[in-house]
Amino acid sequence: MEDLYRYLEDGYTCTILQRGAPVYQSRERGVRPLLALIDAGADVHGCTAVDSIVGRAAALLYVYLGIAAVTADVMSVGAREVLTAHGIETAAQTTADHIINRRGDGLCPMEIATSGITDPAEALAAIRKTVAALRANAQK
């Protein structure tokens, strides 16, 4: 099996592959790369994603995007459950109970925002609302 983790080298946090070739790469953190793909109307249905960290929120966005397989450096148990429930292949070097926030003192806000949500469109709305709230708080 090809070493997909090499696509996380050089500071990349997210790579989308189509037939084994990168069609999108980002160095942005969190769910930003996935929101950028959605906002651009990118057709990545059936592609493979290689991501540094995949929590529940990212998993639901991958479902929304129609990704066929997700390989992650770190994947939460909840993310794997979401992806598997939607028939998306998963692989991870490390499985975590939860994704923690960047300060390391609690759950990731995106994990909290998507807790209990199973519908990808509903998750997208909750994620956008949380991103907006975080930006507003950062500007205070």
Side-chain angles (χ1 to χ4, degrees), residues 5-135:
Y5 297 103
R6 67 187 168 97
Y7 291 106
L8 295 177
E9 295 173 357
D10 299 324
Y12 289 108
T13 58
C14 178
T15 299
I16 305 298
L17 303 166
Q18 186 172 45
R19 292 185 216 95
V23 294
Y24 174 81
Q25 289 187 295
S26 176
R27 289 185 172 99
E28 294 284 331
R29 295 173 66 179
V31 295
R32 284 188 209 133
L34 305 182
L35 293 174
L37 282 167
I38 292 167
D39 292 345
D43 181 6
V44 294
H45 187 85
C47 290
T48 296
V50 184
D51 201 321
S52 56
I53 300 172
V54 177
R56 229 172 160 282
L60 286 158
L61 294 180
Y62 281 127
V63 172
Y64 185 90
L65 286 162
I67 293 292
V70 177
T71 296
D73 188 28
V74 177
M75 183 179 292
S76 74
V77 171
R80 178 168 272 142
E81 289 171 354
V82 166
L83 295 168
T84 301
H86 288 274
I88 298 171
E89 294 178 41
T90 66
Q93 289 191 325
T94 304
T95 302
D97 288 335
H98 301 283
I99 303 301
I100 58 170
N101 64 28
R102 292 183 185 155
R103 289 185 315 271
D105 62 0
L107 288 178
C108 167
M110 299 304 147
E111 291 274 285
I112 295 167
T114 58
S115 177
I117 295 176
T118 57
D119 177 70
E122 185 182 340
L124 176 58
I127 290 165
R128 288 194 191 280
K129 182 178 177 181
T130 301
V131 167
L134 290 170
R135 280 189 186 136

